[in-house]
Amino acid sequence: MALYSVPEVTLTSSKQKMPVLALGTATFPPVDSKIVVNAVLDAIKLGYRHFDTASVYQTEHSLGDAIAEAFRLGLINSREELFITSKLWCSDAHAEHVLPALQNTLKNLKLEYLDLYLVHWPVSSKHSGKFEYPLKKEDVLPLDIKSVWAAMEECQSIGLTKSIGVSNFSCKKIADVLAFAKITPAVNQVELNPLWQQKKLVEFCKANGILVVAFSPLGAAGTSWGSNYVMESEVLNAIAKAKGKSVAQICLRWGYEQGIGVVMKSFNKERLEQNIDIFDWGLSEDETKKIAALPQNRVHRGEEFVDKNGPIKSIEELWDGEV
């Protein structure tokens, strides 16, 4: 019996129910597979049911092993109890490689279908069969999103994924997809936290029936692109102290109250429990106003895709001015 229950939201385009809080498995640099497996098992015991991975994270195998072990231990009884998200890497973001990439992901996970498959970045790269991050600048290619999205739609149509979506897409890039999509993206997963609230993007996506899901909800401290700004914020620390909560809990609760999904990553059992314990209390109006007034700064700027001689010549071009 799980200790906690996570609320679900219905994805507009697929009518599928998705737990609003997910455990992410991105590790840069990679960690031992046993660490990932044990963290996922701890999370399942606590009540996490949504797990987020990607081909480039190279944790699909580990997540698949953890799911198999959870079945063996009787922690879960059916595949339908879980919600599994993975992502199409840039080197596979070519129409003819989308289906094989998804099939490889399913093989890694030892699953028959995904719940959600995302285009990881609005960028393509030379098809190499490898998952390199960061990409070599000379390998970056413009994304033919129309043909790639048609291939994503086919993946949903044949039942290999229940829902499809995008990640790191600006309002303009979402609008471009909506102009030709037969299936509307269910999700746009983006960097989002109290110090990068993306209010315009959230409103645009909501108006078009797309759920925004936040990655780096705590600022991604310890990663190559992250920062300590969120966890060291005086405002957030003061709110946390006054409420007897951790800064992480304040950030995750704030995200939940924004009506978005949240992907957090911790492999520490104590923090996993703290981070799921956010659904039976709330922020006051005054606390919400203080968070709304925080200075804003995008941390994961995507410099690795930008080259004045390449297809994406500036940060502004990558994000269509949403910087």
Side-chain angles (χ1 to χ4, degrees):
M1 183 72 182
L3 291 174
Y4 298 89
S5 177
V6 175
E8 295 179 322
V9 62
T10 300
L11 301 176
T12 302
S13 76
S14 63
K15 304 297 183 273
Q16 189 185 12
K17 289 190 169 160
M18 184 193 90
V20 295
L21 180 66
L23 175 63
T25 61
T27 58
F28 297 107
V31 298
D32 186 80
S33 176
K34 288 179 184 174
I35 294 173
V36 179
V37 170
N38 289 335
V40 171
L41 289 172
D42 286 339
I44 289 173
K45 290 171 188 172
L46 288 166
Y48 290 84
R49 292 295 180 266
H50 182 177
F51 297 92
D52 180 279
T53 185
S55 53
V56 76
Y57 301 164
Q58 298 182 42
T59 53
E60 290 175 335
H61 280 107
S62 303
L63 178 55
D65 289 346
I67 292 168
E69 182 66 4
F71 275 114
R72 193 185 71 77
L73 295 172
L75 299 176
I76 46 177
N77 298 310
S78 75
R79 167 70 178 86
E80 287 68 36
E81 292 177 41
L82 298 175
F83 191 103
I84 308 298
T85 298
S86 194
K87 307 178 195 79
L88 177 79
W89 186 237
C90 305
S91 55
D92 285 323
H94 307 266
E96 68 276 19
H97 294 302
V98 173
L99 178 58
L102 175 52
Q103 289 169 326
N104 191 58
T105 280
L106 292 172
K107 181 182 172 186
N108 291 341
L109 288 162
K110 296 177 278 291
L111 297 176
E112 293 182 359
Y113 67 88
L114 284 182
D115 295 282
L116 179 62
Y117 197 40
L118 305 177
V119 179
H120 206 151
W121 281 89
V123 176
S124 184
S125 67
K126 289 178 184 174
H127 180 69
S128 62
K130 298 176 186 173
F131 302 112
E132 294 181 302
Y133 181 83
L135 295 171
K136 297 188 183 84
K137 299 266 186 179
E138 62 269 23
D139 288 346
V140 174
L141 298 169
L143 176 66
D144 179 1
I145 186 58
K146 190 169 184 179
S147 67
V148 166
W149 190 251
M152 294 285 286
E153 291 173 328
E154 178 63 15
C155 290
Q156 180 171 328
S157 297
I158 63 177
L160 293 184
T161 183
K162 302 272 188 181
S163 301
I164 53 176
V166 295
S167 182
N168 299 298
F169 273 52
S170 65
C171 292
K172 180 185 180 300
K173 288 180 172 65
I174 289 275
D176 290 345
V177 174
L178 293 175
F180 52 73
K182 293 175 184 156
I183 300 175
T184 299
V187 159
N188 184 20
Q189 188 182 120
V190 296
E191 178 191 354
L192 197 152
N193 56 59
L195 295 189
W196 187 241
Q197 298 179 19
Q198 302 243 51
K199 291 176 183 175
K200 176 187 168 191
L201 181 68
V202 171
E203 287 307 312
F204 180 81
C205 287
K206 278 184 183 175
N208 286 284
I210 300 166
L211 179 72
V212 168
V213 173
F215 72 75
S216 302
L218 312 179
T223 66
S224 59
W225 66 85
S227 81
N228 296 317
Y229 296 150
V230 174
M231 299 303 283
E232 292 176 357
S233 161
E234 289 183 12
V235 170
L236 295 174
N237 274 275
I239 293 171
K241 188 175 181 183
K243 295 189 95 66
K245 304 292 182 185
S246 69
V247 174
Q249 286 175 309
I250 298 300
C251 293
L252 297 171
R253 177 68 199 189
W254 171 83
Y256 174 60
E257 291 186 8
Q258 301 307 299
I260 63 173
V262 180
V263 178
M264 53 67 58
K265 189 231 128 188
S266 175
F267 292 165
N268 175 286
K269 191 172 182 179
E270 185 180 323
R271 286 196 290 273
L272 280 170
E273 181 161 8
Q274 283 183 356
N275 292 349
I276 200 174
D277 186 15
I278 60 167
F279 298 111
D280 60 355
W281 54 274
L283 297 167
S284 70
E285 188 177 342
D286 182 57
E287 289 163 344
T288 302
K289 282 181 180 174
K290 285 178 179 174
I291 293 173
L294 287 168
Q296 298 295 292
N297 180 48
R298 182 191 289 280
V299 172
H300 199 345
R301 292 166 60 81
E303 276 105 343
E304 61 269 32
F305 303 116
V306 174
D307 182 6
K308 67 179 188 297
N309 298 314
I312 303 164
K313 294 180 169 42
S314 67
I315 296 292
E316 287 70 23
E317 184 181 345
L318 177 62
W319 302 108
D320 299 298
E322 295 170 22
V323 291

